[in-house]
Amino acid sequence: MTARAQRPIGNLSRLAMCGVGHGFAPGHYLFRHLDIEFEANSVTGICGPSGSGKSTLLSIIAGWEKPTEGTVERTGIHSVRWVFQNPTGVPQRTALDHVALPYLASGLGRDHSEQLALQRLTDFGLRASAQKRFSLLSGGEAQRLMLARAVAGEPDLILVDEPTAQLDRATASTVNAVLEALAQRGAVVIVASHDQETLASCSSVLELSTDRASGDP
Ligand SMILES: Nc1ncnc2c1ncn2[C@@H]1O[C@H](COP(=O)(O)OP(=O)(O)O)[C@@H](O)[C@H]1O
Ligand SMILES: [Mg+2]
């Protein structure tokens, strides 16, 4: 993937990396010379073997990690949500509670928040599980709940780290189907994965490989 010419895209979110490289030890880079543009309404995949730096690159994109070299330019990105590989929730709280919380935190009343949360759960095929406690959800349900909760925060940028790593094939397919729906809500969606089905559903894929770590462009 290479840099594309900049074009005006109104108020849409956009993120551009220029010459980004990163390493944790002096002289040793995980990747270098990344020139990429991520835009709203698209899903970009980041693939590569375990340890190639996928999660590190997500941290750089999120702004949590400063790259060793290069720049990251963010336009129209005010809020970021990260969906972790392992779903985390409050065991005794229901699925509905988890998705209603971002709406409550934004200042909406409980009824309105729960109504919107129920819509998000429906989008992710979880309506029937709305009253289930988090501890009783299956792995696939819990992962989709994390995606639904991320969307409820109405972020401009959603980073999803290995969403299907813990899931069986059928459940992974349901998660893959919602990634595109996430992007259609106007966010920049970036997914780190080595699942071929997930990558096939992305509009473009950046591969982190050993030659990314070499000193030469
Ligand atoms: N904060 C850190 N300090 C030192 N090394 C790290 C740190 N974070 C990750 N690494 C190392 O960087 C490499 C890439 O890690 P990671 O980005 O998690 O890869 P991936 O997500 O592709 O499996 C690994 O060797 C990991 O041990
Ligand atoms: Mg990782």
Side-chain angles (χ1 to χ4, degrees), residues 53-190:
K54 299 182 295 299
S55 297
T56 302
L57 183 55
L58 290 183
S59 299
I60 289 171
I61 291 168
W64 295 351
E65 186 85 52
K66 189 178 180 313
T68 308
E69 60 187 19
T71 56
V72 181
E73 183 194 319
R74 297 175 186 80
T75 310
I77 293 179
H78 307 290
S79 64
V80 180
R81 290 291 181 280
W82 186 305
V83 180
F84 294 101
Q85 181 169 347
N86 298 309
T88 50
V90 183
Q92 68 275 26
R93 287 290 187 180
T94 64
L96 186 69
D97 287 339
H98 283 78
V99 184
L101 186 61
Y103 292 117
L104 286 165
S106 76
L108 296 178
R110 176 161 292 279
D111 286 352
H112 194 187
S113 297
E114 292 194 348
Q115 191 188 337
L116 290 171
L118 208 51
Q119 282 171 20
R120 293 297 77 75
L121 289 170
T122 305
D123 295 343
F124 290 85
L126 288 171
R127 192 183 179 95
S129 303
Q131 299 302 337
K132 262 197 212 173
R133 290 180 179 201
F134 182 80
S135 57
L136 298 178
L137 297 176
S138 70
E141 287 175 327
Q143 190 58 274
R144 279 182 284 146
L145 180 66
M146 298 297 100
L147 291 164
R149 184 174 65 176
V151 169
E154 300 193 349
D156 307 302
L157 172 64
I158 304 178
L159 304 167
V160 190
D161 200 0
E162 306 267 7
T164 58
Q166 317 280 345
L167 307 180
D168 61 66
R169 227 20 299 142
T171 315
S173 296
T174 65
V175 170
N176 292 336
V178 301
L179 292 173
E180 178 64 17
L182 283 183
Q184 293 313 315
R185 300 180 67 84
V188 176
V189 180
I190 304 175

Side-chain angles (χ1 to χ4, degrees), residues 26-69:
H28 177 76
Y29 286 87
L30 284 169
F31 45 78
R32 295 191 84 175
H33 313 298
L34 298 184
D35 296 300
I36 314 153
E37 193 172 311
F38 303 97
E39 290 179 354
N41 301 318
S42 67
V43 183
T44 304
I46 298 173
C47 73
S50 185
S52 59
K54 299 182 295 299
S55 297
T56 302
L57 183 55
L58 290 183
S59 299
I60 289 171
I61 291 168
W64 295 351
E65 186 85 52
K66 189 178 180 313
T68 308
E69 60 187 19

